[in-house]
Every structure is written in structure tokens, then in C-alpha cells.
Amino acid sequence: MTTLLWICALLVVIAAGAYLRFSLLTTTIAAAVICAAASYFHVGSPLPFAIFVILALPFNIKSFRRQFISKPFLNIYKSIMPEMSSTEKEAIEAGTTWWEADLFSGAPSWKKLHNIPVARLTNEEQAFLDGPVEEVCGMLNEHQVSHELADLPQEVWQYLKDNGFFAMIIKKKFGGLEYSAYAQSRVLQKLAGVSSELASTVGVPNSLGPGELLQHYGTPEQQDHYLPRLAKGLEVPCFALTSPEAGSDAGSIPDFGVVCKGQWQGEEVLGMKLTWNKRYITLAPVATVLGLAFKLRDPEYLLGEQEELGITCALIPTDVEGVIIGRRHFPLNCMFQNGPTQGDEVFVPIDFIIGGKEMAGQGWRMLVECLSVGRGITLPSNAAGGIKTAAVATGAYARIRRQFKLPIGKLEGIEEPMARIGGNAYLMDGVNSLTTTGIDLGEKPSVISAIVKYHLTDRMQKCVIDAMDIHGGKGICLGPNNYLGRGYQAAPIAITVEGANILTRSMIIYGQGAIRCHPYVLPEMEAAFNPNPKESLRKFDNAVFGHIGFAISNFARSFWLGLTGARFSNAPYSDKTKKYYQQMNRFSANLALLSDLAMGTLGGELKRKERVSARLGDLLSQMYLVSGVLKRYNDEGRLTEDLPLVQWACEDALHKLQTSLDELLDNFPMGLGPILRFIIFPFGRPVTKPSDVLDHKVAKIMQTPCASRDRLAKGQYLTPTQYNIAGIQEQTFIDLIACEPIHKRICEVAGERIPFMWLDKVAEKGIELDCINTEEVELMKRAELGRLKSINVDDFDPEELTAMVKSANQANYAA
Ligand SMILES: Cc1cc2nc3c(=O)[nH]c(=O)nc-3n(C[C@H](O)[C@H](O)[C@H](O)COP(=O)(O)OP(=O)(O)OC[C@H]3O[C@@H](n4cnc5c(N)ncnc54)[C@H](O)[C@@H]3O)c2cc1C
């Protein structure tokens, strides 16, 4: 029995060393002390100590370890690990890792998260939001754009150009606004709350496209020529990568260029003959400059010794002879400009390549590098902005619209989808701020940008469906009075572009995340393929033994945190958010452990096991989303009245994480699931979904004028201008709430239950009964007008609806 106790003591010391991540040497010394004590006090012979020393020494003497353990292992590793293709290498090396690497570490540092600076706007950026952004939001009549013009009105185009909306990323020295990523995100959020067409039109030139590529890679001549013109709106850019044959698999584009000599403006110059057929290109129909991705070949070796140069990006003015452009696609009734473009052997000079001929073949790297940033700003901001406005508009509508003699928002069934919208609006805004802060700190977060692209657009789409369901017929009947239907129609676009969502979840998030965020996988790969054998072995040994220690630590942490429900683990606050930090400690250790096991059991096959990869990615992603929520709560001063929103968002994300983890364990390779389940969930699944009580609290915030509700919609355009129905409804919401006690008083004096409708008539009754004043009469009349506007939908003369279709069909037949 005592022997067993000594063995237990030894295991506890080793496990504690692993849990606390002591170095190998420290843990060895601590274990040696136990063995020495057992030898002395228990066995009375040095045998246990000697056995331990014999076993432990080879691992602690580095030269021995390298030669006899790491070297054979390195040889096996090299023989089974395929060398990465250059495209894979470029994708993996693009960008940087940031907070997500902490989440992958098995022991995130909460101090580090909360020390990230709070996102702030400069005075100039704030003035832009309060001035031109506010103004253009008021100019836009979405029904006119979508149904009558099939385009933004000319005055809106001009206003956007004149006020630098297309130049938010362009540096000041070129005449641009040079705004922070955070400011860009706030602008796009506000625009998206009004119109997805407006947000897309502004978002695209500020995202991955000619402006971004020129700033990073353009030659000085290209920058001096194009950037000031783009900043002034004299050029409208688009970027064409997608072909009919290559969508998600963009690296396989068949579009090509051949280096050759040809005539350009009357002279013979070195150039390329380009052939392309692209589709789905945003702004292409109105673009003056076409960013084009194609594969460049140099069969006559005019540029150097390489024939196949690879993907290359060039800027082609759209008035060059042979450029076919101008036709439009019809993307789900959303009238932002989008269409195909073609060219057949179009000759252009070689210096049309972005960055000049030196950058021939560097296009893929350029694109993935820029995507690391742009993907983290545009679509996630549009998604967050759309849902922030939808949250307050749905809250207001649910308070205004009555059925069964109650505001529908008070019905329990409605509270569930309401809470999803409110909780997500809080989450998405927090995640948006965290991500753009990272970008402003100089990060190029390729993994995070994939996470936020997927999860914010996915949550946006689900929330829009919830909002539509709550609005019933009001959301369905399109027209000037509908502020939701067009956003609902546009949602799948955000899902599909900049990396379609299923692909992003299945391949990109974890595919890049595992290699980039894991502290040892990339160093192992780099060390293994290091051409210097001595350095290769030294680095490989360090990485592999670091990796083994890491894996043991995550095993110990997963087991202990599971056993104790993570109750004793590190959390920076001991309030109601404490458990979320602690659950994240636990899930972080689980992610690190399962990653190593998945990579160990599947090796290169993991790439094809997309559902394993997707679920591991979910663990990382949901932890990132919770980080955004906790950071926001902290940055805003830990306002307890916002706690229901914080709790809802954390519990929802952690529950989703747990579901993915559960499914992963059910499907874990090599049948390891049951053993892992015992380690990870010894007492079952710890996280529950947001409760009905919590849903109720969130739904209440959304339907009650209060500071938490204001923060939910912070920065959104809710001014009650002519076309801004959500803004007008917001005013009605305030008015109707002010009418409630007046209505109650009239009912009491009249001694009857008067329905809460026809408030103008109710006011007249109040005058008859002499129980309300003139101001109250005015309020009730105004509220009734607003109420009717909110619940009514549009109807049309049939001609108004068929006009567009007819003219479009006529144009098609004519063609
Ligand atoms: C409105 C709109 C605007 C756009 N703007 C531009 C633009 O300005 N410039 C530009 O170059 N392109 C643009 N695109 C193209 C866009 O980037 C592509 O649509 C996108 O890459 C997906 O390609 P696809 O539509 O051909 O779908 P496909 O590639 O055919 O994918 C179909 C489905 O298969 C899934 N899938 C694909 N591969 C995998 C995988 N390995 N694992 C799991 N699932 C997978 C996808 O997620 C998707 O669900 C735009 C598209 C639209 C619709």
C-alpha cells in the first residue's frame, strides 16, 4: 500500500509539473526528490532513485538526446511528411498570429487579453462618421436603389467619391483618408445598417482590391498614378479573381497571360497577351480599372529563366482595346454592381503588373497577405452593423406590434429568437472591435480573419432569419416601408464571398490555425526541412521535446480541469464572468490536447478529414468570440446592466463549442473518443444553453429604452429621416412607451379596457373625460401615425412591379 502511495506521489509531482508547465529539468528534479525520499524512507535502498535517474537522464542530456532519440525521429518525420507546395507555404506563411495563438496554447493569459488597448476613433474619424456617413445614410432610399434604379443614384455615387468613401485605406500622402481598421469598421457598420448595397459598394474598394494591392506592392509610378485618382474617385476599381471554372479553388484559375513583345501606343514594348473569363466581379460593370489575376507564362524566357511564373496580378484600364466589361449579374435582387468580364489575347505592357515585372508570379502571396487583413474588416463589419440595427429595430417592432392584446415581444415564444438577435449583436460588435484593434496594432491575422468572416456572417444570416420570423408579413412584403427584406436577400452573398463559408470552416480556419497557432508544429516542419543538418537537428530536437512537454501538459490540464470543473483555475475577475474564463481555460487545454491527437493519429490525412478539422476549428473560433465579448465588457467598464447580454453571448458560444467538441469525440479517429470523453468530460457536459430567464432579460433590454439598448445600437443610423424607416420606427417606439401610462389613465377614468390601437381616437376620449392635456393628445396622435407606419406594409399598382422585369426581359431579347 505504501509503495502505491509513493508511486502516486511521483505521478502527482510529474502531473503538477506538467500542469504548471515547469521545464523538463525542474520537473525531473522534483520527481528525483520523491524517488530519493522513497529510496531512503520506504525501500531502504537506492534502487528506486537509480531506476529513475537511468530513465530520466537520456532526456535531460541534450547531446545524447539529440543523437539517439531526436535524430532517428527526424528521419522518420522527413520520410512521412510531404514537403509543402509553394501555394500552401504562401497561404500558411501569410499573416501573423495574435490572441488566437494564446487560445491554442492550453493556458491563455487573460491579462494579455485585457491589456490589448481599447479601440478608439480619432476626432477626424468621429467627424467623418457624424458628418458624411450620417449624411449619405440619409440620402439613400433603398427601395429606389433595389427596385427602381437597380443602382445607387448618381448623386449618391458622386457624394461617395467626393467625400473619400472609396479611399479609407489609402494613405494621406496620396490624398486618401488613411483611417484605422476600427474606423473603417464603424463606417461600414453604419452603412450596412441602412443598406447592404451601400455597404458593399463602399466596402469593396476598401478591401482586397487594387487600392490595397497598390499600397503594398505597387511601384512608385503606379502608386503616384493610381492612388490619388482612386482617392478622388476618378477611378472605380474592381478585382477579378473568380472564373467559371475556379471559385473556391481560386489557385486553379485557367486565365492566363503570355509574355511577349507587342505594339503599345505606336511602339514595340515588352508586354503580355492576356486571356480571361471572369465572373461575379463586384463593381466590374462600372469599373475604370480592372485588377486581374491570371497565370503568367514566359515561353520565350523574356523575363528570366522560368517558364511558368505562376499567379500574377495586373491593373488593366477598362478602356484598353479588347477588355469586355459592362454586363451585370443579378445577385439576389441586390443592386450593387456585379458582373462578368472577358478578354482574349489582350496585349498590355509588362509594367501593368502590380509591382512591375519583379512581382510576376507573386500574385498568390499578394492576395493571401491582403486577404488576411481585408477579410477581417469588411464582411464582419457589414454583418455586425446589419445585426446591430436589426436588433433595435426588432426590439422596437416587437414592442409596437400587438397580438393577443400584448406586444408580441412579451410572448415567450418570441423571446427566444429575440434573445438570439440581441446576444449576437453584442457579441458581433465586441468581436469586430477586438479584431480591428489587432489589425491596427499591425497584425495581419490570417486565422482570426477567417474565423470572423465565417462566424459573423453565419450568425448574421441566422439572426436575419430570426428577425424575419419575428416581423412576420411585415418583413416579407418588400417596398419603402420594409427595412429588413433586402438584408435577408443579401445575406447569402456574405456567406459566399471572400472564402465560401463551408470551405472556410472545413479547411481554412483550423487548416491554417493548427499550423500557425500551435507553438511547435510549424517550428518542427521548418526545422525538418532546414538545409543545414546540424541546425535542423538542434531545432527539431527543441521543437519535438517542447511538443511532447506541451502534449503532456495539456493532458494533465484537461484531466484536472475536467475533474474540478476548472473551478480553481485562473480568472481575472471573481464576478459573474469568472466561470466563462475558467471554462475557456478548460476548453483551451482540450483543444490543444485533441489537436495533437488528431494530428498524431491522422497526420497529413487530417487535411482531408474536413469534419474533424471543422470541429477543431469551432473550438478555436468560439473561444475567440467569447474573448471578444469579455474584452468588450471589460473595455466598457464592466457595466452590470449589460450582464444579460454578456452572459447570453458567452453561454451561447461556449455551448456551441461544447456541441462541436461532443461531436468530435463521437467521431474521433481510431476509436479514441470514449477514452478522451472520460478525460475531458468526466462528469458529463458542463455548459448549458442560455436559459429562458436569460433570454427574457435580453429580450427585455431590446424592448425597453435604456443605456444597454443604446450601447447595442451604438453608432448606427437611427435618425428619423424620410427614407430611414428603422429610424422613424425608433421614434414611434419611444412615443408609444410614453403613451402607455396615458392610455392606462384613460382606461381607468373610463372604467373600461380600451384596446391599445386607434390612439388618436383614444386621445379624443381622454379629452372628453378631461383626463389628458394637449401635449398628451399630440403625443398620442403622433404615436398612432407612427404605429400605423410601423405595422403597415406597401402595396403597388401592378405596373410598378412589372416595369423593371419587362424592361430587363426586353433588353435580354434584344441581345
Ligand atoms: C455577389 C458576389 C460578389 C463577388 N465578388 C467577387 C469579386 O469582386 N471578385 C472575385 O474575384 N470574386 C468575387 N466573387 C466570387 C466569390 O469569391 C466566389 O463565389 C466564391 O469564391 C465561391 O466560389 P463559387 O461561387 O464558384 O462556389 P464553389 O467554389 O463552386 O463552391 C460551392 C460550395 O462548395 C463549398 N466548397 C468548395 N470547396 C470546398 C472544400 N474544399 N471543402 C468544403 N466545401 C467546399 C463552398 O463552400 C460552397 O459552399 C463574388 C461572388 C458573388 C456571388
Side-chain angles (χ1 to χ4, degrees), residues 239-242 247-248 279-282 331 336 338 493 496-498 500-503 506-507 610:
F239 192 80
L241 172 64
T242 306
S248 300
R279 67 175 179 183
Y280 304 152
I281 310 307
T282 301
F336 65 93
N338 182 279
I493 298 175
T496 300
V497 301
E498 292 193 5
N501 272 10
I502 300 176
L503 161 92
S506 311
M507 275 184 82
E610 290 191 345

Short mmCIF file of all heavy atoms in Angstrom, two decimals, residues 239-242 247-248 279-282 331 336 338 493 496-498 500-503 506-507 610, ligand 1:
data_model
loop_
_atom_site.label_atom_id
_atom_site.label_comp_id
_atom_site.label_asym_id
_atom_site.label_seq_id
_atom_site.Cartn_x
_atom_site.Cartn_y
_atom_site.Cartn_z
N PHE A 239 -11.73 43.95 -58.57
CA PHE A 239 -10.67 42.95 -58.61
C PHE A 239 -11.24 41.61 -59.04
O PHE A 239 -12.17 41.07 -58.42
CB PHE A 239 -9.97 42.80 -57.25
CG PHE A 239 -8.73 41.99 -57.42
CD1 PHE A 239 -7.57 42.58 -57.90
CD2 PHE A 239 -8.73 40.64 -57.19
CE1 PHE A 239 -6.44 41.83 -58.15
CE2 PHE A 239 -7.60 39.87 -57.42
CZ PHE A 239 -6.45 40.47 -57.90
N ALA A 240 -10.67 41.06 -60.12
CA ALA A 240 -11.23 39.86 -60.74
C ALA A 240 -10.31 38.66 -60.54
O ALA A 240 -9.25 38.58 -61.15
CB ALA A 240 -11.46 40.13 -62.22
N LEU A 241 -10.76 37.76 -59.68
CA LEU A 241 -10.03 36.51 -59.46
C LEU A 241 -10.89 35.34 -59.94
O LEU A 241 -10.41 34.46 -60.65
CB LEU A 241 -9.72 36.38 -57.96
CG LEU A 241 -9.11 35.07 -57.47
CD1 LEU A 241 -7.74 34.85 -58.07
CD2 LEU A 241 -8.99 35.07 -55.94
N THR A 242 -12.16 35.34 -59.57
CA THR A 242 -13.02 34.17 -59.79
C THR A 242 -13.36 33.94 -61.26
O THR A 242 -13.71 34.88 -61.98
CB THR A 242 -14.34 34.38 -59.02
OG1 THR A 242 -14.00 34.66 -57.66
CG2 THR A 242 -15.22 33.16 -59.07
N GLY A 247 -13.76 28.73 -58.51
CA GLY A 247 -14.41 29.57 -57.50
C GLY A 247 -13.63 29.47 -56.20
O GLY A 247 -12.65 30.19 -55.99
N SER A 248 -14.02 28.51 -55.36
CA SER A 248 -13.31 28.32 -54.09
C SER A 248 -11.85 27.93 -54.33
O SER A 248 -10.96 28.36 -53.60
CB SER A 248 -13.98 27.21 -53.28
OG SER A 248 -15.31 27.57 -53.01
N ARG A 279 -16.08 35.94 -63.61
CA ARG A 279 -17.49 36.23 -63.30
C ARG A 279 -17.61 36.65 -61.83
O ARG A 279 -16.68 36.50 -61.06
CB ARG A 279 -18.37 35.02 -63.60
CG ARG A 279 -18.12 33.84 -62.70
CD ARG A 279 -19.13 32.74 -62.99
NE ARG A 279 -18.89 31.58 -62.14
CZ ARG A 279 -19.58 30.46 -62.21
NH1 ARG A 279 -20.52 30.31 -63.11
NH2 ARG A 279 -19.32 29.45 -61.40
N TYR A 280 -18.79 37.15 -61.52
CA TYR A 280 -19.15 37.57 -60.15
C TYR A 280 -18.34 38.78 -59.67
O TYR A 280 -18.14 38.95 -58.47
CB TYR A 280 -18.91 36.47 -59.11
CG TYR A 280 -19.57 35.14 -59.31
CD1 TYR A 280 -18.99 33.99 -58.79
CD2 TYR A 280 -20.79 35.03 -59.96
CE1 TYR A 280 -19.59 32.76 -58.91
CE2 TYR A 280 -21.40 33.79 -60.09
CZ TYR A 280 -20.80 32.65 -59.58
OH TYR A 280 -21.39 31.44 -59.71
N ILE A 281 -17.82 39.61 -60.52
CA ILE A 281 -16.86 40.61 -60.07
C ILE A 281 -17.58 41.90 -59.63
O ILE A 281 -18.21 42.59 -60.45
CB ILE A 281 -15.82 40.91 -61.18
CG1 ILE A 281 -15.23 39.60 -61.73
CG2 ILE A 281 -14.73 41.85 -60.67
CD1 ILE A 281 -14.65 38.65 -60.68
N THR A 282 -17.42 42.21 -58.35
CA THR A 282 -18.10 43.37 -57.80
C THR A 282 -17.48 44.66 -58.33
O THR A 282 -16.25 44.78 -58.37
CB THR A 282 -18.04 43.33 -56.25
OG1 THR A 282 -18.66 42.12 -55.85
CG2 THR A 282 -18.77 44.50 -55.62
N PRO A 331 -27.52 39.58 -58.51
CA PRO A 331 -27.30 38.78 -57.29
C PRO A 331 -28.39 38.96 -56.25
O PRO A 331 -28.34 39.88 -55.43
CB PRO A 331 -25.95 39.27 -56.76
CG PRO A 331 -25.75 40.61 -57.37
CD PRO A 331 -26.63 40.74 -58.58
N PHE A 336 -26.11 46.10 -56.04
CA PHE A 336 -24.76 46.63 -56.18
C PHE A 336 -24.19 46.10 -57.49
O PHE A 336 -24.64 45.07 -58.00
CB PHE A 336 -23.89 46.30 -54.97
CG PHE A 336 -23.60 44.85 -54.76
CD1 PHE A 336 -22.46 44.27 -55.28
CD2 PHE A 336 -24.47 44.05 -54.05
CE1 PHE A 336 -22.19 42.94 -55.10
CE2 PHE A 336 -24.21 42.72 -53.85
CZ PHE A 336 -23.07 42.15 -54.38
N ASN A 338 -22.25 44.25 -60.09
CA ASN A 338 -21.52 42.99 -60.08
C ASN A 338 -21.71 42.34 -61.44
O ASN A 338 -22.83 42.32 -61.96
CB ASN A 338 -22.11 42.09 -58.97
CG ASN A 338 -21.37 40.77 -58.85
OD1 ASN A 338 -21.61 39.85 -59.60
ND2 ASN A 338 -20.46 40.70 -57.92
N ILE A 493 -24.93 36.33 -49.85
CA ILE A 493 -23.77 36.86 -50.58
C ILE A 493 -22.57 36.91 -49.65
O ILE A 493 -21.46 36.48 -49.99
CB ILE A 493 -24.08 38.25 -51.18
CG1 ILE A 493 -25.24 38.12 -52.18
CG2 ILE A 493 -22.85 38.83 -51.85
CD1 ILE A 493 -25.72 39.44 -52.74
N THR A 496 -21.01 33.63 -49.17
CA THR A 496 -20.31 33.02 -50.31
C THR A 496 -18.98 33.68 -50.65
O THR A 496 -18.04 33.01 -51.06
CB THR A 496 -21.25 33.07 -51.55
OG1 THR A 496 -22.42 32.35 -51.23
CG2 THR A 496 -20.60 32.48 -52.78
N VAL A 497 -18.89 35.01 -50.49
CA VAL A 497 -17.69 35.70 -50.99
C VAL A 497 -16.54 35.66 -49.99
O VAL A 497 -16.73 35.32 -48.84
CB VAL A 497 -18.01 37.16 -51.41
CG1 VAL A 497 -19.07 37.19 -52.47
CG2 VAL A 497 -18.47 37.97 -50.21
N GLU A 498 -15.37 36.00 -50.47
CA GLU A 498 -14.11 36.03 -49.67
C GLU A 498 -13.89 34.72 -48.92
O GLU A 498 -13.56 34.70 -47.74
CB GLU A 498 -14.11 37.23 -48.71
CG GLU A 498 -14.01 38.55 -49.47
CD GLU A 498 -13.68 39.75 -48.61
OE1 GLU A 498 -13.42 39.59 -47.41
OE2 GLU A 498 -13.68 40.86 -49.16
N ALA A 500 -15.93 30.95 -49.38
CA ALA A 500 -17.28 30.48 -49.06
C ALA A 500 -17.26 29.81 -47.68
O ALA A 500 -16.27 29.18 -47.30
CB ALA A 500 -17.76 29.53 -50.14
N ASN A 501 -18.38 29.97 -46.95
CA ASN A 501 -18.33 29.61 -45.53
C ASN A 501 -18.05 28.13 -45.24
O ASN A 501 -17.29 27.83 -44.32
CB ASN A 501 -19.62 30.05 -44.84
CG ASN A 501 -19.49 31.48 -44.34
OD1 ASN A 501 -18.53 32.18 -44.67
ND2 ASN A 501 -20.43 31.94 -43.54
N ILE A 502 -18.65 27.24 -46.03
CA ILE A 502 -18.42 25.81 -45.70
C ILE A 502 -16.94 25.51 -45.87
O ILE A 502 -16.31 24.86 -45.03
CB ILE A 502 -19.28 24.89 -46.60
CG1 ILE A 502 -20.77 25.18 -46.39
CG2 ILE A 502 -19.00 23.43 -46.30
CD1 ILE A 502 -21.71 24.40 -47.29
N LEU A 503 -16.38 26.03 -46.95
CA LEU A 503 -14.94 25.83 -47.19
C LEU A 503 -14.11 26.45 -46.07
O LEU A 503 -13.16 25.85 -45.56
CB LEU A 503 -14.57 26.46 -48.54
CG LEU A 503 -13.10 26.75 -48.76
CD1 LEU A 503 -12.44 25.58 -49.44
CD2 LEU A 503 -12.90 27.99 -49.58
N SER A 506 -14.41 24.31 -43.05
CA SER A 506 -13.88 22.95 -43.19
C SER A 506 -12.38 22.91 -43.40
O SER A 506 -11.72 21.95 -43.00
CB SER A 506 -14.53 22.25 -44.38
OG SER A 506 -15.92 22.40 -44.34
N MET A 507 -11.85 23.92 -44.06
CA MET A 507 -10.43 23.82 -44.45
C MET A 507 -9.54 24.92 -43.91
O MET A 507 -8.38 24.69 -43.59
CB MET A 507 -10.33 23.89 -45.98
CG MET A 507 -10.50 22.59 -46.67
SD MET A 507 -10.25 22.83 -48.42
CE MET A 507 -8.49 22.77 -48.54
N GLU A 610 -12.27 16.75 -43.27
CA GLU A 610 -12.73 18.13 -43.09
C GLU A 610 -13.64 18.30 -41.87
O GLU A 610 -13.68 19.35 -41.26
CB GLU A 610 -13.47 18.59 -44.34
CG GLU A 610 -12.56 18.78 -45.52
CD GLU A 610 -13.26 19.48 -46.68
OE1 GLU A 610 -14.50 19.56 -46.67
OE2 GLU A 610 -12.55 19.94 -47.59
C1 LIG B 1 -22.20 38.70 -55.26
C2 LIG B 1 -20.81 38.17 -55.42
C3 LIG B 1 -19.74 39.05 -55.44
C4 LIG B 1 -18.45 38.57 -55.67
N1 LIG B 1 -17.41 39.45 -55.83
C5 LIG B 1 -16.21 38.97 -56.29
C6 LIG B 1 -15.18 39.86 -56.67
O1 LIG B 1 -15.30 41.08 -56.57
N2 LIG B 1 -14.04 39.35 -57.18
C7 LIG B 1 -13.83 38.00 -57.31
O2 LIG B 1 -12.79 37.59 -57.78
N3 LIG B 1 -14.79 37.12 -56.94
C8 LIG B 1 -15.98 37.57 -56.45
N4 LIG B 1 -16.97 36.69 -56.10
C9 LIG B 1 -16.72 35.27 -56.21
C10 LIG B 1 -16.69 34.53 -54.87
O3 LIG B 1 -15.48 34.78 -54.22
C11 LIG B 1 -16.96 33.06 -55.19
O4 LIG B 1 -18.33 32.96 -55.45
C12 LIG B 1 -16.53 32.15 -54.11
O5 LIG B 1 -15.14 32.04 -54.11
C13 LIG B 1 -17.13 30.75 -54.24
O6 LIG B 1 -16.98 30.24 -55.50
P1 LIG B 1 -18.25 29.59 -56.25
O7 LIG B 1 -19.38 30.51 -56.11
O8 LIG B 1 -17.80 29.19 -57.58
O9 LIG B 1 -18.58 28.30 -55.37
P2 LIG B 1 -17.87 26.90 -55.43
O10 LIG B 1 -16.41 27.07 -55.35
O11 LIG B 1 -18.42 26.11 -56.55
O12 LIG B 1 -18.35 26.27 -54.04
C14 LIG B 1 -19.63 25.65 -53.90
C15 LIG B 1 -19.74 25.14 -52.47
O13 LIG B 1 -18.71 24.18 -52.20
C16 LIG B 1 -18.05 24.52 -51.00
N5 LIG B 1 -16.67 24.07 -51.08
C17 LIG B 1 -15.76 24.34 -52.03
N6 LIG B 1 -14.59 23.76 -51.74
C18 LIG B 1 -14.77 23.11 -50.56
C19 LIG B 1 -13.94 22.31 -49.72
N7 LIG B 1 -12.69 22.04 -50.02
N8 LIG B 1 -14.48 21.80 -48.61
C20 LIG B 1 -15.77 22.05 -48.28
N9 LIG B 1 -16.57 22.80 -49.03
C21 LIG B 1 -16.09 23.30 -50.15
C22 LIG B 1 -18.17 26.02 -50.88
O14 LIG B 1 -18.05 26.43 -49.52
C23 LIG B 1 -19.56 26.24 -51.42
O15 LIG B 1 -20.48 26.04 -50.41
C24 LIG B 1 -18.25 37.17 -55.83
C25 LIG B 1 -19.33 36.29 -55.75
C26 LIG B 1 -20.60 36.78 -55.57
C27 LIG B 1 -21.73 35.81 -55.55
#
